Amino acid sequence: MGTSTVLGTRALNRATLARQLLLDRADPPVLDAVAHLGGLQAQEPQEPFVGLWSRLSAFDPMVLSDLLTGRKVVRTHLMRRTVHLVTADDALAWRGRHTAMLRQRVLGTYRRELGGVDLDELAAAGRAVMADGEPRSMTELARAVEERWPDPGPRALGEMLIAALVPMAQLPPRGLWRTKAGVRNVMLSSWLGREADLPNADGSDPVGQALVRRYLAAFGPAASADLRAWCGLAGLPAAIAAVRGELVAFRDERGRELLDLPDAPRPDPDAPAPVRFLPAFDNAILGYHDRGRIIDDAHRGLSVAGERVVLVDGRAAATWTVGKDGTVTVTPLHGFSRTDRTAVADEGEALAAFLSDGDSHGVRIAEPCH
């Protein structure tokens, strides 16, 4: 298939919804769903539960909690230097490929503070402290090494160690269903029983190639800039070139080349799209450089601000919050039709029941924000 085939915004929207399990709720095992999605954005610990509830039929949140305590999924800094919930296998396979990016992103924030620090020495010192397998907060780890590096301050040292230099897992109870707990870190190798894979010494990049395929399976059709926006890695042109022969190409309405897996779903643009409630920072929105397929440019800032959005006809049409009484409040970005209002209320009631274990079915639709 040549690059002359143009996919409109609505066609891209329906493809994204299908890949993201948002067009029809799916029924794979929870672990398989986390793997298919390439992980879930998870710096807000409870948000992945909503993300999976919106995607899976009969989702039991305790299954995800059990996967965390059973070390089948882990919370770790990965794509874009954000905390993601990923399978243990993906954490071990992908973490080494992300190390250089993680370093650069932390340096982008703390370059002045860390200017005189040998990062390899800092990494070795951090590993030595963590070698006892004891969980530590970022501050505790920083305090353990700051006598040797007193100038940067604990925040810069801790961020560099935890988010970049030493592959870490955030331990349960952090991230368990309906549980509030601070961040306690152990080395990924201690938690999962082996070291994360290192990039190939010969310069080949099988991990990068796997990331391209996995990204397209969950987000395609997409441009290389979209792939970069999802993972944060700049150095994937060679990986794309290596797998290009496996892929098909399209154009979007702006003329950008979009790559895709040949047999991945690309539904009819007129396929009905049900109302879906997305959690904060959901990758269905953040996983693209050009988010126009799912959110209007005027509302693009909502996604990076951590607002939870409601999809109506596949597009961000409202934000939502949940109150202490369990009531889900929906604030439309524009007026709803009567049909859409009913569908939003029905899905909102189901979400309220999920979040409250059936204690609340309350939903309130506020006046549109202007």
Side-chain angles (χ1 to χ4, degrees), residues 273-276 310-318 334 336 340-341 344:
V275 169
R276 292 289 185 257
V310 183
L311 301 183
V312 177
D313 193 26
R315 298 191 63 79
H334 49 70
F336 285 158
D340 289 342
R341 188 181 183 91
V344 168

Side-chain angles (χ1 to χ4, degrees), residues 109-125:
T109 304
Y110 298 107
R111 191 173 303 276
R112 180 177 56 80
E113 291 89 340
L114 296 168
V117 176
D118 184 311
L119 295 183
D120 291 337
E121 290 183 10
L122 178 60

